Amino acid sequence: MTDHVVLRVFTGPDGAGGNALGVVPDGPAVPAPEARQELAARWGYSETVFLDDAAAGRVDIRTPGTSLPFAGHPLVGVAAWLRLCGHDTTVLRPPAGEVPAWQEDDITWIRGRAAWAAGRRTEQYASVAEVDALSAPPPGEGWLYAWAWEDEASGRVRARGFPRRGDGVVEDEATGAAALVLTARLRRSLVVRQGTGSVILTRFRDDGTIGIGGRVRVVTH
């Protein structure tokens, strides 16, 4: 059996919520892409990360059905995991490009570009109650990030994420890439409350990059 650890990424301050992430610390032990995809499908996490080179930060991100060039919760999670393991890895290298990673108190941060998270549609609703009342998933096809302002003045958002890609992930508990896209469109930093109890922090930057931050908890090791 391939060894992997399970993290929960973007937990709330009380440790609740968080999106489950599978991390295979010894990625080279599973060299074949089809074998990696089979494991990601079998485990069923919204994403699984294969760590191919800890020092260089090279990673391979898989959903149950495909590989991704970039994704927020896997990169925040693996950045936190590397730090817990004693690695001073400040740049992650998924296929999309170089992703800076750093720690501030109990928050792990990465920085990316909205162009790396294409294909995620955001839709604003009139109230938090409307977002909470959505069926899982709502009718339609394609990635939907449903959101409403909780407090517009302070940048607080309620969101739910629906991949709608037919791979068994009905609703994503916390989606860093979609929060990045929303931040880019609103052009402001946000505090996003997603899923049942997850919290995603974002930082808008004028240079076109956006920070994504959150707390990470180890579930199994």
PDB file of all heavy atoms in Angstrom, residues 4 18 43 63 71 74 82 87 90 115 164 171 182 209:
ATOM      1  N   HIS A   4       0.509   7.503   2.621  1.00  0.00           N
ATOM      2  CA  HIS A   4       0.122   8.892   2.440  1.00  0.00           C
ATOM      3  C   HIS A   4      -0.383   9.434   3.767  1.00  0.00           C
ATOM      4  O   HIS A   4      -0.767   8.682   4.661  1.00  0.00           O
ATOM      5  CB  HIS A   4      -0.939   9.054   1.345  1.00  0.00           C
ATOM      6  CG  HIS A   4      -2.308   8.602   1.713  1.00  0.00           C
ATOM      7  ND1 HIS A   4      -2.661   7.275   1.859  1.00  0.00           N
ATOM      8  CD2 HIS A   4      -3.452   9.322   1.965  1.00  0.00           C
ATOM      9  CE1 HIS A   4      -3.942   7.186   2.163  1.00  0.00           C
ATOM     10  NE2 HIS A   4      -4.449   8.403   2.252  1.00  0.00           N
ATOM     11  N   GLY A  18     -12.193  22.561   7.213  1.00  0.00           N
ATOM     12  CA  GLY A  18     -10.973  22.191   6.504  1.00  0.00           C
ATOM     13  C   GLY A  18     -11.249  21.143   5.446  1.00  0.00           C
ATOM     14  O   GLY A  18     -12.036  20.222   5.653  1.00  0.00           O
ATOM     15  N   TRP A  43      -8.758   6.964  -3.354  1.00  0.00           N
ATOM     16  CA  TRP A  43      -8.844   7.656  -2.076  1.00  0.00           C
ATOM     17  C   TRP A  43     -10.005   8.651  -2.051  1.00  0.00           C
ATOM     18  O   TRP A  43     -10.621   8.867  -1.015  1.00  0.00           O
ATOM     19  CB  TRP A  43      -7.530   8.349  -1.760  1.00  0.00           C
ATOM     20  CG  TRP A  43      -6.414   7.383  -1.504  1.00  0.00           C
ATOM     21  CD1 TRP A  43      -6.519   6.112  -1.023  1.00  0.00           C
ATOM     22  CD2 TRP A  43      -5.017   7.608  -1.728  1.00  0.00           C
ATOM     23  NE1 TRP A  43      -5.276   5.531  -0.924  1.00  0.00           N
ATOM     24  CE2 TRP A  43      -4.324   6.424  -1.349  1.00  0.00           C
ATOM     25  CE3 TRP A  43      -4.271   8.678  -2.215  1.00  0.00           C
ATOM     26  CZ2 TRP A  43      -2.944   6.293  -1.441  1.00  0.00           C
ATOM     27  CZ3 TRP A  43      -2.890   8.555  -2.308  1.00  0.00           C
ATOM     28  CH2 TRP A  43      -2.237   7.368  -1.921  1.00  0.00           C
ATOM     29  N   THR A  63      -6.913  15.423  -8.954  1.00  0.00           N
ATOM     30  CA  THR A  63      -8.270  15.208  -8.464  1.00  0.00           C
ATOM     31  C   THR A  63      -8.574  13.724  -8.677  1.00  0.00           C
ATOM     32  O   THR A  63      -7.745  12.992  -9.233  1.00  0.00           O
ATOM     33  CB  THR A  63      -9.283  16.055  -9.257  1.00  0.00           C
ATOM     34  OG1 THR A  63      -9.411  15.507 -10.580  1.00  0.00           O
ATOM     35  CG2 THR A  63      -8.838  17.512  -9.351  1.00  0.00           C
ATOM     36  N   ALA A  71      -3.622  24.403  -7.807  1.00  0.00           N
ATOM     37  CA  ALA A  71      -4.794  24.333  -6.929  1.00  0.00           C
ATOM     38  C   ALA A  71      -4.392  24.882  -5.569  1.00  0.00           C
ATOM     39  O   ALA A  71      -3.274  24.636  -5.095  1.00  0.00           O
ATOM     40  CB  ALA A  71      -5.320  22.904  -6.804  1.00  0.00           C
ATOM     41  N   PRO A  74      -4.341  22.186  -2.064  1.00  0.00           N
ATOM     42  CA  PRO A  74      -3.207  21.260  -2.051  1.00  0.00           C
ATOM     43  C   PRO A  74      -1.860  21.956  -1.817  1.00  0.00           C
ATOM     44  O   PRO A  74      -0.991  21.419  -1.123  1.00  0.00           O
ATOM     45  CB  PRO A  74      -3.253  20.622  -3.443  1.00  0.00           C
ATOM     46  CG  PRO A  74      -4.653  20.791  -3.888  1.00  0.00           C
ATOM     47  CD  PRO A  74      -5.095  22.098  -3.325  1.00  0.00           C
ATOM     48  N   LEU A  82       5.548  20.365   4.489  1.00  0.00           N
ATOM     49  CA  LEU A  82       7.002  20.458   4.328  1.00  0.00           C
ATOM     50  C   LEU A  82       7.637  21.176   5.518  1.00  0.00           C
ATOM     51  O   LEU A  82       8.682  20.757   6.023  1.00  0.00           O
ATOM     52  CB  LEU A  82       7.333  21.196   3.029  1.00  0.00           C
ATOM     53  CG  LEU A  82       7.130  20.387   1.742  1.00  0.00           C
ATOM     54  CD1 LEU A  82       7.195  21.297   0.524  1.00  0.00           C
ATOM     55  CD2 LEU A  82       8.174  19.285   1.631  1.00  0.00           C
ATOM     56  N   HIS A  87      11.570  20.995   6.368  1.00  0.00           N
ATOM     57  CA  HIS A  87      12.096  21.503   5.099  1.00  0.00           C
ATOM     58  C   HIS A  87      11.882  23.008   5.007  1.00  0.00           C
ATOM     59  O   HIS A  87      10.801  23.507   5.295  1.00  0.00           O
ATOM     60  CB  HIS A  87      11.399  20.827   3.915  1.00  0.00           C
ATOM     61  CG  HIS A  87      11.629  19.354   3.831  1.00  0.00           C
ATOM     62  ND1 HIS A  87      12.824  18.809   3.413  1.00  0.00           N
ATOM     63  CD2 HIS A  87      10.814  18.313   4.112  1.00  0.00           C
ATOM     64  CE1 HIS A  87      12.731  17.491   3.441  1.00  0.00           C
ATOM     65  NE2 HIS A  87      11.531  17.166   3.865  1.00  0.00           N
ATOM     66  N   THR A  90      10.698  27.352   0.191  1.00  0.00           N
ATOM     67  CA  THR A  90      10.026  28.643   0.055  1.00  0.00           C
ATOM     68  C   THR A  90       9.347  28.823  -1.301  1.00  0.00           C
ATOM     69  O   THR A  90       8.652  29.821  -1.507  1.00  0.00           O
ATOM     70  CB  THR A  90      11.023  29.792   0.259  1.00  0.00           C
ATOM     71  OG1 THR A  90      12.087  29.664  -0.695  1.00  0.00           O
ATOM     72  CG2 THR A  90      11.607  29.754   1.669  1.00  0.00           C
ATOM     73  N   ALA A 115      -5.027  33.449 -13.577  1.00  0.00           N
ATOM     74  CA  ALA A 115      -4.971  32.752 -14.864  1.00  0.00           C
ATOM     75  C   ALA A 115      -4.671  31.268 -14.688  1.00  0.00           C
ATOM     76  O   ALA A 115      -5.020  30.456 -15.554  1.00  0.00           O
ATOM     77  CB  ALA A 115      -3.922  33.391 -15.764  1.00  0.00           C
ATOM     78  N   ARG A 164     -18.887  19.916  -9.982  1.00  0.00           N
ATOM     79  CA  ARG A 164     -19.776  19.433 -11.043  1.00  0.00           C
ATOM     80  C   ARG A 164     -18.988  18.851 -12.227  1.00  0.00           C
ATOM     81  O   ARG A 164     -19.220  19.190 -13.380  1.00  0.00           O
ATOM     82  CB  ARG A 164     -20.722  20.553 -11.499  1.00  0.00           C
ATOM     83  CG  ARG A 164     -21.638  21.049 -10.392  1.00  0.00           C
ATOM     84  CD  ARG A 164     -22.757  21.925 -10.875  1.00  0.00           C
ATOM     85  NE  ARG A 164     -22.296  23.138 -11.516  1.00  0.00           N
ATOM     86  CZ  ARG A 164     -23.082  24.185 -11.798  1.00  0.00           C
ATOM     87  NH1 ARG A 164     -24.363  24.142 -11.469  1.00  0.00           N
ATOM     88  NH2 ARG A 164     -22.602  25.250 -12.376  1.00  0.00           N
ATOM     89  N   GLU A 171     -19.458  18.492  -3.364  1.00  0.00           N
ATOM     90  CA  GLU A 171     -19.208  19.862  -2.903  1.00  0.00           C
ATOM     91  C   GLU A 171     -17.818  19.922  -2.289  1.00  0.00           C
ATOM     92  O   GLU A 171     -17.449  19.069  -1.484  1.00  0.00           O
ATOM     93  CB  GLU A 171     -20.255  20.299  -1.877  1.00  0.00           C
ATOM     94  CG  GLU A 171     -20.034  21.707  -1.361  1.00  0.00           C
ATOM     95  CD  GLU A 171     -21.187  22.254  -0.533  1.00  0.00           C
ATOM     96  OE1 GLU A 171     -22.234  21.579  -0.446  1.00  0.00           O
ATOM     97  OE2 GLU A 171     -21.051  23.368   0.023  1.00  0.00           O
ATOM     98  N   LEU A 182     -12.108  34.772  -7.259  1.00  0.00           N
ATOM     99  CA  LEU A 182     -13.039  35.765  -6.737  1.00  0.00           C
ATOM    100  C   LEU A 182     -12.300  37.025  -6.279  1.00  0.00           C
ATOM    101  O   LEU A 182     -12.739  38.156  -6.542  1.00  0.00           O
ATOM    102  CB  LEU A 182     -13.847  35.172  -5.586  1.00  0.00           C
ATOM    103  CG  LEU A 182     -14.894  36.090  -4.951  1.00  0.00           C
ATOM    104  CD1 LEU A 182     -15.937  36.518  -5.978  1.00  0.00           C
ATOM    105  CD2 LEU A 182     -15.553  35.397  -3.758  1.00  0.00           C
ATOM    106  N   THR A 209      -0.603  39.087  -8.715  1.00  0.00           N
ATOM    107  CA  THR A 209      -0.578  37.867  -7.918  1.00  0.00           C
ATOM    108  C   THR A 209      -1.472  38.038  -6.693  1.00  0.00           C
ATOM    109  O   THR A 209      -1.749  39.158  -6.261  1.00  0.00           O
ATOM    110  CB  THR A 209       0.843  37.499  -7.469  1.00  0.00           C
ATOM    111  OG1 THR A 209       1.347  38.528  -6.602  1.00  0.00           O
ATOM    112  CG2 THR A 209       1.755  37.317  -8.671  1.00  0.00           C
TER     113      THR A 209
END
